[in-house]
Amino acid sequence: SLEDYKGAILDASKAVELDSANSTFFSDRGFSYHESGDYDSALKDFTKSCKFCSICAMFITDLFLFAIQYRS
């Protein structure tokens, strides 16, 4: 439900505050933003995730797939 994603966003935001260089936290929060319909925030977090782990194919794939959905 939407409330579950809001809770996940809050949890991931707390994690980002503790370790703002952890790409997984940005990716997790980006997914929750995406699922809650906040596509602009999701794209920002997926982009930040790639910044911290540019060789991680999982995050690059997330960003690519998201961009296709976001633009259509």
Side-chain angles (χ1 to χ4, degrees):
S1 76
L2 186 56
E3 292 303 316
D4 292 337
Y5 290 116
K6 288 181 181 179
I9 291 166
L10 289 174
D11 289 345
S13 294
K14 290 176 188 174
V16 165
E17 287 177 20
L18 295 172
D19 184 358
S20 62
N22 188 315
S23 60
T24 301
F25 298 154
F26 285 104
S27 181
D28 289 349
R29 188 172 67 179
F31 176 78
S32 295
Y33 276 133
H34 176 264
E35 292 300 308
S36 69
D38 186 349
Y39 303 117
D40 289 332
S41 295
L43 186 56
K44 288 176 187 175
D45 273 358
F46 285 141
T47 302
K48 287 178 187 174
S49 178
C50 287
K51 175 184 173 185
F52 294 114
C53 187
S54 61
I55 61 171
C56 297
M58 180 176 67
F59 302 125
I60 293 168
T61 301
D62 285 346
L63 179 61
F64 176 74
L65 293 175
F66 173 76
I68 290 171
Q69 286 182 321
Y70 182 66
R71 300 292 180 210
S72 24

